[in-house]
Amino acid sequence: MPTRKRLGDLLVEAGLVAEGQINETIEHKRRDQKLGDALLERGFITERQLIEVLEFQLGIPHVSLYQYPIDERVLGFVSQEVAQENYIMPLKIQDNEMMLAMKDPMDYYVIDDLELSTGLSISPVIASKDDILYAINKYYFKNDGVELEGQVDDDESPIIHLLDQILTTGVQLKASDIHIDPQEASVQVRYRIDGQLRSEKTVSKQFQNSLIARIKILADLNITQSRLPQDGRIKTTVGVTPVDLRISSLPTVHGEKIVIRILDLNNALMQLNELNFSVQNQKKYKQLISQPSGLVLLTGPTGSGKTSTLYASINQLNKENVNIVTIEDPVEFQLEGVNQVQVNSTVGLTFANGLRSILRQDPNIIMIGEIRDQETAEIAIRASLTGHLVFSTLHTNSALDTIPRLIDMGIEPYLVVSSLNGVVAQRLVRKICRDCKTEREATAMEKQIFKKNGLNAEHVSYGSGCSSCHHRGYRGRLTIHEVLVMDDHMKSMLLNNRSIADIHTYARDEGMEFLIHDGLEKIKSGLTTMEEIMQVSIRI
């Protein structure tokens, strides 16, 4: 048995953190949160550093489970629930000893419990949290189908168990969406993690109807209607995580496809300083939202983080002396002290109708989930011209494209000019994994792109792939922005019918950072890669 030392002491001894950082983390961490997780969350250490310290100081080896030959007979000794709850994975049994991969090999309670319940001595090895989760999903889920085979149809418990496992995996892997795709002979379960879809599980075709019916019952959808799309929501707790699940069903030739959007209510509300604004862009944006009236628009494709920015902005402005009213479809997150209205087109409560009523509610600040048509755009602009600060979103490729888009919707150019304070365009890109970040010399093409945009970079970073990021080189996402502030000269250019290209040149000369510039700065800072920026930036 290794000497039972405390993690904080080991990290201080290794010189990775100061005593003060340990004390500060202990003071601010959640009661049920382990110290290692809290230090990782605060960015004081990386997961690789944590593993290396434990490996060196305790003499416990580190294993990568990516292609580890796990003996499936050991799965019967540790239940899936215990494995998921404690981030452990049994690997093999030899000479009355079980090798156990653990995220926290200093969790002696788990070791003692398992030794008692299995009658085996436990030999811990260290593995990263994500590595363990993937192994659990790969091996335990593989046996789900076997466990479910032969269960009587009227016994719902195996289907409840299956759905619980699908949701638990989604939350633990920090997926934004779960896709349940009926195929001809099976049902495929895929998770969208950091913007990328990954196949994680195949379910037997015989459970398709029961699984879909279970989801529809929980989401309060019509289970007898399978030929029309339906939308619903489920508010629940998965493990210890409160989540809001958006359910969308779509009839396909092989049955109903279900997409579950996961909103983690613990992490839903962010602060403005957590949104990766550059210093210049954050200053500009804070000035925009501090205006007493006018229209501020957020643009970008679906899934680019616009809603997070909207909520962070509203949260910043949410004071006792301000009346904030929102109209959304759907209400993503409930904010204390903010009056939120849910669009309900079945009873005629559209964005436009709701907005008319909101204007009679003496608001200071109005947030409209999305401007979808001319009528909503006109009322939003009228509200911004009559002393209200109005926030909304629009689907355009860049901040400048917002102006012709509003004019195309039938808004008079003089109204656009009078009302629009500014526009923020944003995209989400994958972040280089901190644990396997490696520096290399920039290629000739990369240097050329930097030079063309007035920047210089000799070295760039990439993720070489490790167990923390499941050998993908990326972990998590960050936002890149461009912030367009409408000044008087820009407004006169628009009124004089100058082209968007001319306005683009003027904005660039005035020092506006476009998406590509913000992206390149984040590449220089070692946060992301050229490949990611090229996928989202429309101007090189």
Side-chain angles (χ1 to χ4, degrees), residues 221-238:
L221 301 179
N222 182 352
I223 61 167
T224 61
Q225 176 58 271
S226 59
R227 293 183 295 176
L228 286 173
Q230 295 187 68
D231 293 310
R233 71 190 295 179
I234 305 167
K235 208 165 186 180
T236 185
T237 301
V238 177

Side-chain angles (χ1 to χ4, degrees), residues 343-400:
V343 165
N344 186 350
S345 48
T346 54
V347 295
L349 180 54
T350 61
F351 275 116
N353 291 342
L355 199 43
R356 285 195 188 93
S357 304
I358 285 170
L359 289 171
R360 294 193 283 274
Q361 288 279 319
D362 183 31
N364 301 96
I365 296 167
I366 300 168
M367 179 184 114
I368 308 160
E370 188 184 340
I371 292 179
R372 293 178 184 169
D373 52 49
Q374 181 183 350
E375 191 181 10
T376 309
E378 281 178 344
I379 303 168
I381 281 171
R382 203 176 310 139
S384 69
L385 291 172
T386 52
H388 305 93
L389 181 61
V390 180
F391 289 93
S392 192
T393 68
L394 204 63
H395 290 277
T396 63
N397 283 330
S398 70
L400 278 166

Side-chain angles (χ1 to χ4, degrees), residues 39 107 125 136 142 163 195 229 234 246 249 252 283 290 293 304 333 337 383 409 419 421 431 455 460 503 514:
L39 288 165
D107 195 336
V125 293
I136 290 169
K142 190 156 62 174
L163 180 59
I234 305 167
R246 295 290 141 68
S249 76
T252 71
K283 187 180 173 189
S290 61
S293 64
S304 57
F333 183 70
M409 285 174 99
S419 62
N421 287 358
K431 228 160 127 177
L455 294 166
V460 293
I503 296 170
F514 295 101

Side-chain angles (χ1 to χ4, degrees), residues 251-270:
T252 71
V253 289
H254 297 305
E256 286 180 275
K257 172 181 165 70
I258 301 275
V259 174
I260 303 171
R261 157 93 23 127
I262 303 172
L263 190 72
D264 181 345
L265 297 178
N266 280 337
N267 303 319
L269 190 57
M270 299 175 82

